């Protein structure tokens, strides 16, 4: 497993599975039913993703490095900047998510919020380490991360290659650009959507990897169920419709 996945923190999954069982009078929390699309998303892009993938685009040439080392895309492809936004406040979704878990005691809820903040921070630190500044505060990058995390869990640890990841990123970027034409979102709303996708992907990875490392197949099953649910509800993707080719990923 490459560093993109290895370095994502797994503490959130552990907290959800373990500490929540100590809530007074409560049953152990399901680690995924509390985190459906209604919890994560403030105005999702599912219709626009579906519209984008109805017509398969022609094969794309791979981007070539530009003078600054960043890829130069074909003029027919949209720049990643169309999916970027300006951060307007500190993290929003960690507190909102933690408050929805009513079974937790106040100190547990605070610990969950802090864990979710750390998950967001870890994602952006990883982008810095991998020299991918264009994906920070970028909706296409966040949703591509959710897709890659979900695919990884649903395919039992199979990773997408760099070419396949870039292929999906371009399609997601185009879908988001299309969506933003039809729906005006403030930077705050974009930030909430970005955090939702990042946290979704991070929790899926955390559940799957911790279950694998600790020999807990039920936890891996939970990760797969969460991945399937969020792919369908947030992006309108069914895993059986994902077609992986040597240099591309397509949605049939």
């Amino acid at each position: 497993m490459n560093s993109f996945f290895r370095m994502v923190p797994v503490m959130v999954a552990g907290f959800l599975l373990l500490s929540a069982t100590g809530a007074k009078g409560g049953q152990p929390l399901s680690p995924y039913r509390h985190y459906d699309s209604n919890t994560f998303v403030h105005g999702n892009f599912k219709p626009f993703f579906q519209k984008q993938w109805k017509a398969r685009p022609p094969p794309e040439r791979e981007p070539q490095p530009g003078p600054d080392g960043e890829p130069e895309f074909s003029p027919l492809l949209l720049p990643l900047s169309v999916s970027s936004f300006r951060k307007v406040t500190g993290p929003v979704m960690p507190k909102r998510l933690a408050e929805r878990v009513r079974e937790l005691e106040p100190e547990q809820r605070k610990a969950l919020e802090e864990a979710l903040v750390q998950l967001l921070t870890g994602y952006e630190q990883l982008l810095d380490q991998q020299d991918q500044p264009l994906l920070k505060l970028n909706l296409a990058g966040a949703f591509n991360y959710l897709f890659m995390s979900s695919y990884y869990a649903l395919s039992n640890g199979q990773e997408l290659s760099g070419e396949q990841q870039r292929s999906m990123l371009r399609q997601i970027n185009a879908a988001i650009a299309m969506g933003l034409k039809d729906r005006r979102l403030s930077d705050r709303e974009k930030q909430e959507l970005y955090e939702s996708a990042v946290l979704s992907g991070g929790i899926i990875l955390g559940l799957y990897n911790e279950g694998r490392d600790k020999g807990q197949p039920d936890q891996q099953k939970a990760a797969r169920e969460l991945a399937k649910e969020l792919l369908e509800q947030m992006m309108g993707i069914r895993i059986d419709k994902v077609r992986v080719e040597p240099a591309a990923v397509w949605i049939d």
Side-chain angles (χ1 to χ4, degrees):
M1 178 172 198
N2 66 26
S3 60
F4 186 85
F5 296 107
R6 277 201 307 267
M7 299 180 67
V8 176
V10 297
M11 62 180 298
V12 173
F15 185 90
L16 289 173
L17 290 171
L18 301 175
S19 70
T21 63
K24 293 180 180 178
Q27 297 296 317
L29 291 179
S30 162
Y32 53 99
R33 289 302 174 191
H34 285 279
Y35 297 94
D36 61 16
S37 62
N38 291 326
T39 301
F40 273 111
V41 182
H42 181 79
N44 66 56
F45 276 84
K46 176 179 175 179
F48 304 109
F49 289 133
Q50 292 175 317
K51 183 177 180 182
Q52 169 70 14
W53 290 323
K54 282 182 180 178
R56 172 175 165 169
E60 304 164 351
R61 70 171 179 84
E62 283 302 304
Q64 301 300 315
D68 59 356
E70 295 296 332
E72 286 188 341
F73 293 91
S74 162
L76 297 176
L77 301 178
L78 296 173
L80 282 173
S81 59
V82 301
S83 297
S84 295
F85 63 92
R86 181 177 59 87
K87 186 174 183 178
V88 296
T89 184
V92 176
M93 296 306 296
K95 183 176 180 65
R96 185 177 300 172
L97 290 171
E99 288 177 344
R100 288 180 65 104
V101 188
R102 304 295 185 187
E103 297 90 337
L104 298 182
E105 296 293 331
E107 62 273 15
Q108 293 176 320
R109 192 173 296 114
K110 182 63 175 177
L112 176 56
E113 179 185 346
E114 292 172 353
L116 293 169
V117 170
Q118 183 171 341
L119 200 61
L120 287 175
T121 302
Y123 170 75
E124 296 195 343
Q125 287 175 342
L126 184 59
L127 295 180
D128 289 336
Q129 293 167 5
Q130 295 191 335
D131 194 24
Q132 298 189 74
L134 297 180
L135 297 184
K136 188 182 291 188
L137 302 182
N138 182 274
L139 290 174
F143 274 99
N144 200 39
Y145 175 63
L146 170 58
F147 176 82
M148 289 189 294
S149 301
S150 300
Y151 181 84
Y152 178 82
L154 290 166
S155 62
N156 294 317
Q158 181 179 340
E159 297 179 56
L160 296 174
S161 70
E163 290 179 318
Q164 292 163 343
Q165 292 177 26
R166 289 191 292 272
S167 168
M168 197 64 185
L169 178 64
R170 292 193 288 268
Q171 294 177 70
I172 292 173
N173 190 49
I176 288 176
M178 183 186 305
L180 292 175
K181 284 185 177 180
D182 296 342
R183 171 194 274 151
R184 296 291 183 183
L185 295 180
S186 68
D187 280 331
R188 182 184 176 90
E189 289 171 324
K190 292 176 185 177
Q191 180 176 334
E192 292 174 359
L193 192 57
Y194 168 84
E195 291 180 11
S196 297
V198 170
L199 290 172
S200 298
I203 290 177
I204 289 168
L205 283 177
L207 287 170
Y208 184 87
N209 287 339
E210 192 173 82
R212 177 202 60 199
D213 295 343
K214 294 185 177 181
Q216 297 176 346
D218 287 347
Q219 192 163 318
Q220 290 179 286
K221 179 182 177 182
R224 288 191 291 270
E225 291 185 19
L226 175 60
K228 180 176 181 293
E229 180 177 333
L230 291 179
L231 272 187
E232 292 183 1
Q233 293 190 19
M234 293 176 74
M235 300 180 71
I237 296 176
R238 286 174 46 192
I239 192 63
D240 61 319
K241 297 296 184 180
V242 175
R243 182 152 51 91
V244 177
E245 298 178 356
V249 178
W250 304 110
I251 311 299
D252 291 330

